[in-house]
Amino acid sequence: MDRGSTVRYVGLIVLGANLVLALAKGGVWYATGSLAVGSEAVNSLADSAYSVVVLGGLYLTTRPPDFEHPHGHERIEPFVSLFVAVGVFAAGGS
């Protein structure tokens, strides 16, 4: 397995784990009404959204060089990180 396939595979595992956690925590919140568990469910759901963004970034980053990008697509990584950081900052602010 090459690097690109490996990082996309790991990204899918992380996304799946975050979705399972969000569902499990959401179920416990629904059953108990605990505000703390509910906020953790929302946090896991936000992590799932960030995982989707990171997975998209991993897909773009691991694409081979082409005519318009002779050195590859690695420069997308800072933009993906910036998007996630702004999302975390906005969530913390609200």
Side-chain angles (χ1 to χ4, degrees):
M1 202 181 262
D2 65 335
R3 178 187 178 271
S5 297
T6 302
V7 295
R8 286 191 296 263
Y9 180 70
V10 170
L12 284 172
I13 290 173
V14 170
L15 174 61
N18 282 326
L19 287 172
V20 167
L21 279 172
L23 288 173
K25 291 175 183 178
V28 172
W29 168 76
Y30 183 76
T32 65
S34 169
L35 187 60
V37 176
S39 67
E40 279 297 314
V42 171
N43 183 38
S44 292
L45 193 60
D47 288 345
S48 298
Y50 298 141
S51 294
V52 169
V53 172
V54 168
L55 194 58
L58 288 173
Y59 171 75
L60 293 174
T61 299
T62 57
R63 291 179 54 199
D66 55 27
F67 181 73
E68 292 181 6
H69 305 96
H71 300 290
H73 298 84
E74 289 86 16
R75 289 190 171 184
I76 192 75
E77 288 177 0
F79 295 109
V80 171
S81 300
L82 179 64
F83 182 83
V84 171
V86 168
V88 169
F89 182 76
S94 66

Coordinates of all heavy atoms in Angstrom, one line a residue:
M1 N 0.8 -1.2 0.0 CA 0.0 0.0 0.0 C 0.9 1.2 0.0 O 1.8 1.4 0.8 CB -0.9 0.0 1.3 CG -2.1 0.8 1.1 SD -3.1 0.8 2.6 CE -4.3 -0.5 2.2
D2 N 0.6 2.2 -0.9 CA 1.4 3.4 -0.9 C 1.0 4.4 0.1 O 0.0 4.2 0.8 CB 1.3 4.0 -2.3 CG 0.0 4.5 -2.7 OD1 -1.0 4.0 -2.2 OD2 -0.1 5.4 -3.6
R3 N 1.7 5.5 0.3 CA 1.4 6.5 1.3 C 0.0 7.1 1.2 O -0.7 7.2 2.1 CB 2.5 7.6 1.3 CG 2.2 8.7 2.3 CD 3.2 9.9 2.1 NE 2.9 10.9 3.0 CZ 2.0 11.9 2.8 NH1 1.4 12.0 1.7 NH2 1.8 12.9 3.7
G4 N -0.4 7.4 -0.1 CA -1.7 8.1 -0.3 C -2.8 7.2 0.1 O -3.7 7.6 0.8
S5 N -2.7 5.9 -0.2 CA -3.8 5.0 0.1 C -3.8 4.8 1.6 O -4.9 4.7 2.2 CB -3.5 3.6 -0.5 OG -3.6 3.7 -1.9
T6 N -2.7 4.7 2.3 CA -2.6 4.5 3.7 C -3.2 5.7 4.5 O -4.0 5.5 5.4 CB -1.1 4.3 4.2 OG1 -0.6 3.2 3.4 CG2 -1.0 4.0 5.6
V7 N -2.9 6.9 4.1 CA -3.4 8.0 4.9 C -4.9 8.2 4.6 O -5.7 8.6 5.5 CB -2.7 9.4 4.6 CG1 -1.2 9.3 5.1 CG2 -2.7 9.7 3.1
R8 N -5.4 7.9 3.4 CA -6.8 7.9 3.2 C -7.5 6.8 4.0 O -8.6 7.1 4.5 CB -7.1 7.8 1.7 CG -6.8 9.1 0.9 CD -7.3 9.0 -0.5 NE -6.7 8.0 -1.3 CZ -5.7 8.2 -2.1 NH1 -5.1 9.4 -2.2 NH2 -5.2 7.2 -2.8
Y9 N -6.9 5.7 4.1 CA -7.5 4.6 4.9 C -7.6 5.0 6.3 O -8.7 4.8 7.0 CB -6.7 3.3 4.7 CG -7.2 2.1 5.4 CD1 -8.4 1.5 5.1 CD2 -6.5 1.6 6.5 CE1 -8.8 0.4 5.8 CE2 -6.9 0.5 7.2 CZ -8.1 -0.1 6.9 OH -8.6 -1.2 7.6
V10 N -6.5 5.5 6.9 CA -6.5 6.0 8.3 C -7.6 7.1 8.5 O -8.3 7.1 9.5 CB -5.1 6.4 8.7 CG1 -5.2 7.1 10.1 CG2 -4.2 5.2 8.7
G11 N -7.7 8.0 7.5 CA -8.7 9.0 7.6 C -10.1 8.5 7.6 O -10.9 9.0 8.4
L12 N -10.4 7.4 6.9 CA -11.7 6.8 6.9 C -12.0 6.1 8.2 O -13.1 6.2 8.7 CB -11.8 5.8 5.8 CG -12.0 6.4 4.4 CD1 -11.9 5.3 3.3 CD2 -13.4 7.1 4.3
I13 N -10.9 5.5 8.8 CA -11.1 4.9 10.1 C -11.4 6.0 11.2 O -12.3 5.8 12.0 CB -9.8 4.1 10.5 CG1 -9.7 2.9 9.6 CG2 -9.8 3.7 12.0 CD1 -8.4 2.1 9.8
V14 N -10.7 7.1 11.1 CA -10.9 8.2 12.1 C -12.3 8.7 11.9 O -13.1 8.9 12.9 CB -9.9 9.3 12.0 CG1 -10.2 10.5 12.8 CG2 -8.5 8.7 12.4
L15 N -12.8 8.9 10.7 CA -14.1 9.4 10.4 C -15.2 8.4 11.0 O -16.1 8.8 11.7 CB -14.4 9.6 8.9 CG -15.8 10.0 8.5 CD1 -16.2 11.3 9.1 CD2 -15.9 10.0 7.0
G16 N -15.0 7.1 10.7 CA -15.9 6.1 11.2 C -15.9 6.1 12.8 O -17.0 6.0 13.4
A17 N -14.8 6.2 13.4 CA -14.7 6.2 14.9 C -15.5 7.4 15.4 O -16.2 7.3 16.4 CB -13.3 6.2 15.3
N18 N -15.3 8.6 14.8 CA -16.0 9.8 15.3 C -17.5 9.7 15.1 O -18.2 10.1 16.0 CB -15.4 11.0 14.5 CG -14.1 11.5 15.1 OD1 -13.8 11.4 16.2 ND2 -13.3 12.0 14.2
L19 N -17.9 9.1 14.0 CA -19.4 8.9 13.8 C -19.9 7.9 14.8 O -21.0 8.2 15.3 CB -19.6 8.4 12.4 CG -19.4 9.5 11.3 CD1 -19.6 8.8 9.9 CD2 -20.4 10.6 11.4
V20 N -19.2 6.8 15.1 CA -19.7 5.9 16.1 C -19.8 6.5 17.5 O -20.8 6.4 18.2 CB -18.8 4.6 16.1 CG1 -19.1 3.8 17.3 CG2 -19.0 3.8 14.8
L21 N -18.8 7.3 17.8 CA -18.8 8.0 19.1 C -19.9 9.0 19.2 O -20.6 9.1 20.2 CB -17.5 8.8 19.3 CG -16.3 8.0 19.8 CD1 -15.0 8.8 19.8 CD2 -16.6 7.5 21.2
A22 N -20.2 9.8 18.1 CA -21.3 10.7 18.1 C -22.6 10.0 18.3 O -23.5 10.5 19.0 CB -21.3 11.5 16.8
L23 N -22.8 8.9 17.6 CA -24.1 8.1 17.7 C -24.2 7.6 19.1 O -25.3 7.6 19.7 CB -24.1 7.0 16.7 CG -24.4 7.5 15.3 CD1 -24.2 6.3 14.3 CD2 -25.7 8.2 15.1
A24 N -23.1 7.0 19.7 CA -23.2 6.4 21.0 C -23.5 7.5 22.1 O -24.3 7.3 22.9 CB -21.9 5.7 21.3
K25 N -22.8 8.6 22.0 CA -23.0 9.7 23.0 C -24.3 10.3 22.8 O -25.0 10.6 23.8 CB -21.9 10.7 22.8 CG -20.5 10.2 23.2 CD -19.5 11.3 23.0 CE -18.1 10.8 23.3 NZ -17.0 11.8 23.0
G26 N -24.8 10.4 21.6 CA -26.2 10.9 21.3 C -27.2 10.0 21.9 O -28.2 10.4 22.5
G27 N -27.0 8.7 21.8 CA -27.9 7.7 22.4 C -28.0 7.8 23.9 O -29.0 7.8 24.6
V28 N -26.8 8.0 24.5 CA -26.7 8.1 26.0 C -27.4 9.4 26.4 O -28.1 9.5 27.4 CB -25.3 8.0 26.5 CG1 -25.2 8.3 28.0 CG2 -24.7 6.6 26.2
W29 N -27.1 10.5 25.7 CA -27.8 11.8 26.0 C -29.3 11.7 25.9 O -30.0 12.2 26.8 CB -27.2 12.9 25.0 CG -28.1 14.1 25.1 CD1 -28.0 15.0 26.1 CD2 -29.0 14.6 24.2 NE1 -28.9 16.0 25.8 CE2 -29.5 15.8 24.7 CE3 -29.5 14.1 23.0 CZ2 -30.5 16.5 24.0 CZ3 -30.5 14.8 22.3 CH2 -31.0 16.0 22.8
Y30 N -29.8 11.0 24.8 CA -31.2 10.8 24.7 C -31.8 10.1 25.8 O -32.9 10.4 26.3 CB -31.5 10.2 23.3 CG -33.0 10.0 23.1 CD1 -33.7 11.1 22.6 CD2 -33.6 8.8 23.2 CE1 -35.1 11.0 22.4 CE2 -35.0 8.7 23.0 CZ -35.7 9.8 22.5 OH -37.0 9.7 22.3
A31 N -31.1 9.0 26.3 CA -31.6 8.2 27.4 C -31.5 8.9 28.7 O -32.4 8.7 29.6 CB -30.8 6.9 27.4
T32 N -30.5 9.7 29.0 CA -30.3 10.3 30.3 C -30.6 11.7 30.4 O -30.9 12.2 31.5 CB -28.8 10.1 30.7 OG1 -28.0 10.9 29.9 CG2 -28.4 8.6 30.7
G33 N -30.6 12.4 29.3 CA -30.8 13.9 29.3 C -29.6 14.7 29.8 O -29.8 15.9 30.1
S34 N -28.5 14.1 30.0 CA -27.3 14.7 30.6 C -26.8 15.8 29.6 O -26.5 15.5 28.5 CB -26.2 13.7 30.9 OG -25.0 14.3 31.2
L35 N -26.7 17.0 30.1 CA -26.2 18.1 29.3 C -24.7 17.9 28.9 O -24.3 18.2 27.8 CB -26.3 19.4 30.0 CG -26.0 20.7 29.3 CD1 -26.9 20.8 28.0 CD2 -26.2 21.9 30.1
A36 N -23.9 17.3 29.8 CA -22.5 17.1 29.6 C -22.3 16.0 28.5 O -21.5 16.2 27.6 CB -21.8 16.6 30.9
V37 N -23.1 15.0 28.5 CA -23.0 13.9 27.5 C -23.5 14.5 26.1 O -23.0 14.2 25.1 CB -23.8 12.7 27.9 CG1 -23.8 11.6 26.8 CG2 -23.2 12.1 29.1
G38 N -24.6 15.3 26.2 CA -25.1 16.0 25.0 C -24.0 16.8 24.3 O -23.9 16.8 23.1
S39 N -23.3 17.6 25.1 CA -22.3 18.5 24.6 C -21.1 17.6 24.0 O -20.5 18.0 23.0 CB -21.8 19.5 25.6 OG -21.1 18.8 26.6
E40 N -20.8 16.5 24.6 CA -19.8 15.6 24.1 C -20.3 15.0 22.7 O -19.5 14.8 21.8 CB -19.5 14.5 25.1 CG -18.5 14.9 26.1 CD -17.2 15.3 25.6 OE1 -16.6 14.6 24.7 OE2 -16.7 16.4 26.0
A41 N -21.6 14.7 22.6 CA -22.1 14.2 21.3 C -21.9 15.2 20.2 O -21.5 14.9 19.1 CB -23.6 13.8 21.5
V42 N -22.2 16.5 20.6 CA -22.1 17.6 19.6 C -20.6 17.7 19.2 O -20.2 17.9 18.1 CB -22.7 18.9 20.1 CG1 -22.3 20.1 19.2 CG2 -24.2 18.8 20.3
N43 N -19.7 17.6 20.2 CA -18.3 17.7 20.0 C -17.8 16.6 19.0 O -17.0 16.8 18.1 CB -17.5 17.6 21.3 CG -16.0 17.8 21.1 OD1 -15.6 18.6 20.3 ND2 -15.2 17.0 21.9
S44 N -18.3 15.4 19.3 CA -17.9 14.3 18.4 C -18.5 14.5 17.0 O -17.9 14.1 16.0 CB -18.4 12.9 19.0 OG -17.7 12.6 20.1
L45 N -19.7 15.1 16.9 CA -20.2 15.3 15.6 C -19.4 16.4 14.8 O -19.2 16.3 13.6 CB -21.7 15.8 15.7 CG -22.5 15.9 14.5 CD1 -22.6 14.5 13.8 CD2 -23.9 16.4 14.8
A46 N -18.9 17.4 15.6 CA -18.0 18.4 15.0 C -16.7 17.8 14.5 O -16.2 18.1 13.5 CB -17.8 19.5 16.0
D47 N -16.2 16.8 15.3 CA -15.0 16.1 15.0 C -15.2 15.3 13.7 O -14.3 15.2 12.8 CB -14.5 15.2 16.1 CG -13.9 15.9 17.3 OD1 -13.6 17.1 17.1 OD2 -13.8 15.3 18.3
S48 N -16.4 14.8 13.5 CA -16.7 14.0 12.3 C -16.7 15.0 11.1 O -16.2 14.6 10.0 CB -18.1 13.4 12.4 OG -18.2 12.5 13.4
A49 N -17.3 16.2 11.3 CA -17.2 17.1 10.2 C -15.8 17.5 9.8 O -15.4 17.6 8.6 CB -18.0 18.4 10.5
Y50 N -15.0 17.7 10.8 CA -13.6 18.0 10.6 C -12.9 16.9 9.9 O -12.0 17.1 9.1 CB -12.8 18.4 11.9 CG -13.4 19.7 12.5 CD1 -13.5 19.7 13.9 CD2 -13.8 20.8 11.8 CE1 -14.0 20.9 14.5 CE2 -14.3 21.9 12.4 CZ -14.4 21.9 13.8 OH -14.9 23.1 14.4
S51 N -13.2 15.7 10.3 CA -12.6 14.5 9.7 C -13.0 14.4 8.2 O -12.1 14.0 7.4 CB -13.1 13.2 10.3 OG -12.7 13.1 11.7
V52 N -14.2 14.8 7.8 CA -14.5 14.9 6.4 C -13.7 15.9 5.6 O -13.2 15.6 4.5 CB -16.0 15.2 6.2 CG1 -16.4 15.5 4.8 CG2 -16.9 14.1 6.7
V53 N -13.5 17.1 6.2 CA -12.6 18.1 5.6 C -11.2 17.6 5.5 O -10.6 17.7 4.4 CB -12.7 19.4 6.5 CG1 -11.6 20.4 5.9 CG2 -14.1 20.0 6.4
V54 N -10.7 17.0 6.5 CA -9.3 16.4 6.5 C -9.2 15.3 5.5 O -8.2 15.2 4.7 CB -8.9 16.0 7.9 CG1 -7.6 15.2 7.8 CG2 -8.7 17.1 8.8
L55 N -10.2 14.5 5.4 CA -10.2 13.4 4.4 C -10.2 14.0 3.0 O -9.4 13.5 2.1 CB -11.4 12.5 4.6 CG -11.4 11.2 3.9 CD1 -10.2 10.3 4.3 CD2 -12.7 10.4 4.2
G56 N -10.9 15.0 2.7 CA -10.9 15.7 1.4 C -9.5 16.3 1.2 O -9.0 16.2 0.1
G57 N -8.9 16.9 2.2 CA -7.6 17.4 2.1 C -6.5 16.3 1.8 O -5.6 16.5 1.0
L58 N -6.7 15.2 2.5 CA -5.8 14.1 2.2 C -5.9 13.6 0.8 O -4.9 13.2 0.1 CB -6.1 12.9 3.2 CG -5.6 13.2 4.6 CD1 -6.1 12.0 5.5 CD2 -4.1 13.3 4.7
Y59 N -7.1 13.5 0.3 CA -7.3 13.1 -1.1 C -6.6 14.1 -2.1 O -5.9 13.6 -3.0 CB -8.8 13.1 -1.4 CG -9.1 12.8 -2.9 CD1 -8.9 11.6 -3.5 CD2 -9.4 13.9 -3.7 CE1 -9.1 11.3 -4.8 CE2 -9.7 13.7 -5.1 CZ -9.5 12.4 -5.6 OH -9.6 12.2 -7.0
L60 N -6.8 15.4 -1.8 CA -6.1 16.3 -2.7 C -4.6 16.3 -2.6 O -3.9 16.4 -3.6 CB -6.7 17.7 -2.5 CG -8.1 18.0 -2.8 CD1 -8.6 19.4 -2.3 CD2 -8.4 17.8 -4.3
T61 N -4.1 16.2 -1.4 CA -2.7 16.3 -1.1 C -2.0 15.1 -1.7 O -0.8 15.2 -2.2 CB -2.5 16.3 0.4 OG1 -3.1 17.4 1.0 CG2 -1.0 16.3 0.7
T62 N -2.6 13.9 -1.7 CA -1.9 12.7 -2.2 C -2.1 12.5 -3.7 O -1.6 11.5 -4.2 CB -2.4 11.5 -1.4 OG1 -3.8 11.4 -1.6 CG2 -2.0 11.6 0.0
R63 N -2.7 13.4 -4.4 CA -2.8 13.3 -5.9 C -1.4 13.5 -6.5 O -0.6 14.2 -6.0 CB -3.8 14.3 -6.4 CG -5.2 14.0 -6.0 CD -6.2 14.9 -6.5 NE -6.1 15.1 -7.9 CZ -6.6 16.2 -8.6 NH1 -7.2 17.1 -7.9 NH2 -6.5 16.3 -9.9
P64 N -1.1 12.8 -7.6 CA 0.2 12.9 -8.2 C 0.4 14.2 -8.9 O -0.6 14.9 -9.2 CB 0.2 11.7 -9.2 CG -1.2 11.5 -9.5 CD -2.0 11.8 -8.2
P65 N 1.6 14.7 -9.1 CA 1.9 15.9 -9.8 C 1.2 15.9 -11.2 O 1.1 14.8 -11.8 CB 3.4 16.0 -9.9 CG 3.9 15.1 -8.8 CD 2.8 14.0 -8.7
D66 N 0.8 17.1 -11.7 CA 0.3 17.2 -13.0 C 0.9 18.4 -13.7 O 1.8 19.0 -13.1 CB -1.2 17.2 -13.0 CG -1.8 18.3 -12.1 OD1 -1.1 19.4 -11.9 OD2 -2.9 18.2 -11.7
F67 N 0.4 18.8 -14.9 CA 1.0 19.9 -15.6 C 0.9 21.2 -14.8 O 1.8 22.0 -14.8 CB 0.3 20.0 -17.0 CG 0.9 21.1 -17.8 CD1 2.1 21.0 -18.4 CD2 0.1 22.3 -18.0 CE1 2.6 22.0 -19.2 CE2 0.7 23.3 -18.7 CZ 1.9 23.2 -19.3
E68 N -0.2 21.5 -14.2 CA -0.4 22.7 -13.5 C 0.2 22.7 -12.1 O 0.4 23.8 -11.5 CB -1.9 23.0 -13.3 CG -2.6 23.4 -14.6 CD -4.1 23.7 -14.4 OE1 -4.5 23.7 -13.3 OE2 -4.7 23.8 -15.5
H69 N 0.5 21.5 -11.5 CA 1.1 21.4 -10.2 C 2.3 20.4 -10.3 O 2.2 19.3 -9.9 CB 0.1 20.9 -9.2 CG -1.1 21.7 -9.1 ND1 -2.3 21.4 -9.8 CD2 -1.4 22.8 -8.4 CE1 -3.2 22.3 -9.6 NE2 -2.7 23.2 -8.7
P70 N 3.4 20.8 -10.9 CA 4.5 19.9 -11.2 C 5.2 19.4 -9.9 O 5.8 18.4 -10.0 CB 5.5 20.7 -12.0 CG 5.1 22.1 -11.8 CD 3.7 22.2 -11.4
H71 N 5.0 20.1 -8.8 CA 5.6 19.6 -7.5 C 4.6 18.9 -6.6 O 4.9 18.6 -5.5 CB 6.2 20.8 -6.8 CG 7.3 21.5 -7.6 ND1 8.5 20.9 -7.9 CD2 7.3 22.7 -8.2 CE1 9.3 21.7 -8.6 NE2 8.6 22.8 -8.9
G72 N 3.4 18.7 -7.1 CA 2.4 18.0 -6.3 C 1.4 19.0 -5.8 O 1.4 20.1 -6.1
H73 N 0.6 18.4 -4.9 CA -0.5 19.2 -4.3 C -0.4 19.4 -2.8 O -1.4 19.6 -2.1 CB -1.9 18.5 -4.6 CG -2.1 18.4 -6.1 ND1 -1.6 17.4 -6.9 CD2 -2.9 19.2 -6.9 CE1 -2.0 17.6 -8.1 NE2 -2.8 18.6 -8.2
E74 N 0.8 19.3 -2.3 CA 1.0 19.3 -0.8 C 0.6 20.7 -0.2 O 0.4 20.8 1.0 CB 2.4 19.0 -0.4 CG 2.8 17.5 -0.6 CD 3.2 17.2 -2.1 OE1 3.6 18.2 -2.8 OE2 3.2 16.1 -2.4
R75 N 0.6 21.7 -1.0 CA 0.3 23.1 -0.5 C -1.1 23.3 0.0 O -1.4 24.3 0.6 CB 0.7 24.1 -1.5 CG 2.2 24.3 -1.7 CD 2.5 25.4 -2.5 NE 3.9 25.7 -2.6 CZ 4.5 26.7 -3.1 NH1 3.8 27.5 -3.8 NH2 5.8 26.8 -3.1
I76 N -2.0 22.3 -0.2 CA -3.3 22.4 0.3 C -3.4 22.1 1.8 O -4.3 22.6 2.4 CB -4.2 21.4 -0.5 CG1 -5.7 21.7 -0.2 CG2 -4.0 20.0 -0.1 CD1 -6.3 22.9 -0.9
E77 N -2.4 21.5 2.3 CA -2.4 21.1 3.7 C -2.6 22.3 4.7 O -3.4 22.2 5.6 CB -1.1 20.3 4.1 CG -1.1 18.9 3.5 CD 0.2 18.2 3.9 OE1 1.0 18.8 4.5 OE2 0.3 17.0 3.4
P78 N -1.9 23.4 4.5 CA -2.1 24.6 5.4 C -3.5 25.1 5.3 O -4.0 25.6 6.3 CB -1.0 25.6 4.9 CG 0.0 24.8 4.2 CD -0.7 23.7 3.6
F79 N -4.1 25.1 4.2 CA -5.5 25.6 4.0 C -6.5 24.7 4.8 O -7.4 25.2 5.4 CB -5.9 25.8 2.6 CG -5.1 26.8 1.9 CD1 -4.1 26.4 0.9 CD2 -5.2 28.1 2.2 CE1 -3.3 27.4 0.3 CE2 -4.5 29.1 1.5 CZ -3.5 28.7 0.6
V80 N -6.3 23.4 4.7 CA -7.1 22.5 5.4 C -6.9 22.7 6.9 O -7.9 22.8 7.7 CB -6.8 21.0 5.1 CG1 -7.5 20.0 6.0 CG2 -7.1 20.7 3.6
S81 N -5.7 22.8 7.4 CA -5.4 23.1 8.8 C -6.1 24.4 9.2 O -6.6 24.5 10.3 CB -3.9 23.1 9.0 OG -3.3 21.9 8.7
L82 N -6.0 25.4 8.4 CA -6.6 26.7 8.7 C -8.1 26.6 8.8 O -8.7 27.2 9.7 CB -6.2 27.8 7.7 CG -6.8 29.2 7.8 CD1 -6.2 29.8 9.1 CD2 -6.4 30.0 6.6
F83 N -8.7 25.9 7.9 CA -10.2 25.7 8.0 C -10.6 25.0 9.3 O -11.5 25.4 10.0 CB -10.6 24.8 6.8 CG -12.1 24.6 6.7 CD1 -12.9 25.6 6.2 CD2 -12.7 23.5 7.3 CE1 -14.3 25.4 6.2 CE2 -14.0 23.3 7.2 CZ -14.9 24.3 6.7
V84 N -9.9 24.0 9.7 CA -10.2 23.3 10.9 C -9.9 24.2 12.1 O -10.7 24.2 13.1 CB -9.4 22.0 11.0 CG1 -9.5 21.3 12.4 CG2 -9.8 21.0 9.9
A85 N -8.8 24.9 12.1 CA -8.5 25.8 13.2 C -9.6 26.9 13.4 O -10.0 27.2 14.5 CB -7.2 26.5 13.0
V86 N -10.1 27.5 12.3 CA -11.1 28.5 12.3 C -12.4 27.9 12.8 O -13.1 28.5 13.6 CB -11.3 29.2 10.9 CG1 -12.6 30.0 10.9 CG2 -10.1 30.0 10.6
G87 N -12.7 26.7 12.4 CA -13.9 26.0 12.9 C -13.8 25.7 14.4 O -14.8 26.0 15.1
V88 N -12.7 25.3 14.9 CA -12.5 25.1 16.4 C -12.6 26.4 17.1 O -13.3 26.5 18.2 CB -11.2 24.4 16.6 CG1 -10.9 24.4 18.1 CG2 -11.2 23.0 16.1
F89 N -12.0 27.5 16.6 CA -12.1 28.8 17.2 C -13.5 29.3 17.3 O -14.0 29.8 18.3 CB -11.2 29.7 16.5 CG -11.1 31.1 17.1 CD1 -10.4 31.4 18.2 CD2 -11.8 32.2 16.5 CE1 -10.4 32.6 18.8 CE2 -11.8 33.4 17.0 CZ -11.1 33.7 18.2
A90 N -14.3 29.1 16.2 CA -15.7 29.6 16.1 C -16.5 28.8 17.1 O -17.4 29.3 17.8 CB -16.2 29.4 14.7
A91 N -16.3 27.5 17.2 CA -17.0 26.7 18.1 C -16.7 27.1 19.6 O -17.6 27.1 20.4 CB -16.7 25.2 17.9
G92 N -15.5 27.3 19.8 CA -15.1 27.8 21.2 C -15.7 29.1 21.5 O -16.1 29.4 22.7
G93 N -15.8 30.0 20.5 CA -16.3 31.3 20.8 C -17.8 31.3 21.0 O -18.3 32.2 21.7
S94 N -18.5 30.4 20.4 CA -19.9 30.4 20.5 C -20.3 29.5 21.7 O -21.3 29.7 22.4 CB -20.6 29.8 19.3 OG -20.3 28.4 19.1

